[in-house]
Amino acid sequence: MALPALATVDELAAWMQREPDELPKGAALVLDTASAIVRSEARQRFTRGTSTVALSPRDHVVNLPQRPVVSVELVRAGGRELRPDEYRLWRDELWLPAEYGSVVVTYSHGYADVPAPVRAIVLTLAGRVLTNPNDLRQESVGSVSVTYAAETIGASLAPIERDQLARYRPRAAVVQLGKGRPW
């Protein structure tokens, strides 16, 4: 199932200070692509949804990857379904009463509205692609010369945009591997 774009064509037109009918027909495709790039960098969907994940707890805690966590529907551990009073949800962490090798969690997550910084990055990226669709570095006509910044070439994020999306990425856990394992 394809996820919806993180911004609308009308929002893109307003962002670019144009009328919606002035945008090229491919504007929706550009928004879909920009949204996919942002989701990939942030490792977040941002829109509301439900996921089922199998994770390994560390010190009785499971970090749920999609945020914010809205609710937990099902926790299966140790070959059985845990009752809601047998675990505790705190932000994006599920605290378990015992150590389990693997836990399967079905949970709802995502924002009611796409966060403004995320929407701004999607709109800025889409605007760059639509402004410079041929990926030109420089163009000249007569005495007029236009030079585009390196960030405007290709559908890619600028370093500052990557930095802004870093706060939405799931936290990484440090895992100590056992000694003498064959890997």
Side-chain angles (χ1 to χ4, degrees):
M1 179 179 88
L3 295 171
L6 296 172
T8 67
V9 172
D10 287 343
E11 290 169 330
L12 178 59
W15 189 261
M16 296 180 71
Q17 299 180 10
R18 295 184 180 173
E19 293 299 318
D21 59 347
E22 294 175 14
L23 294 178
K25 290 184 194 284
L29 174 62
V30 171
L31 278 172
D32 286 341
T33 304
S35 297
I37 290 168
V38 166
R39 283 182 168 117
S40 176
E41 179 66 29
R43 297 181 208 119
Q44 291 295 309
R45 293 185 191 164
F46 295 108
T47 50
R48 284 276 162 94
T50 301
S51 296
T52 299
V53 293
L55 301 166
S56 296
R58 179 158 171 82
D59 296 328
H60 302 263
V61 177
V62 173
N63 287 311
L64 299 171
Q66 293 296 316
R67 295 178 284 153
V69 175
V70 177
S71 65
V72 173
E73 281 84 40
L74 173 77
V75 178
R76 182 170 290 283
R80 68 181 188 86
E81 186 176 324
L82 299 182
R83 295 184 319 271
D85 65 339
E86 291 182 285
Y87 59 85
R88 188 172 134 219
L89 178 66
W90 187 72
R91 295 185 185 174
D92 61 332
E93 295 179 339
L94 192 64
W95 295 25
L96 303 168
E99 195 64 43
Y100 296 100
S102 179
V103 177
V104 176
V105 182
T106 300
Y107 67 108
S108 297
H109 51 78
Y111 297 87
D113 297 311
V114 176
V118 173
R119 178 175 282 120
I121 292 169
V122 168
L123 292 169
T124 301
L125 176 56
R128 282 197 306 259
V129 170
L130 292 175
T131 302
N132 188 8
N134 295 325
D135 290 336
L136 298 174
R137 176 68 177 112
Q138 183 174 16
E139 62 182 327
S140 300
V141 176
S143 64
V144 177
S145 178
V146 176
T147 302
Y148 297 97
E151 289 83 12
T152 66
I153 298 173
S156 60
L157 296 169
I160 188 71
E161 293 164 337
R162 283 191 177 92
D163 291 346
Q164 291 169 337
L165 291 171
R167 69 180 293 251
Y168 296 100
R169 280 189 211 112
R171 293 184 313 272
V174 177
V175 179
Q176 180 179 355
L177 298 176
K179 294 181 181 170
R181 302 223 177 188
W183 48 60

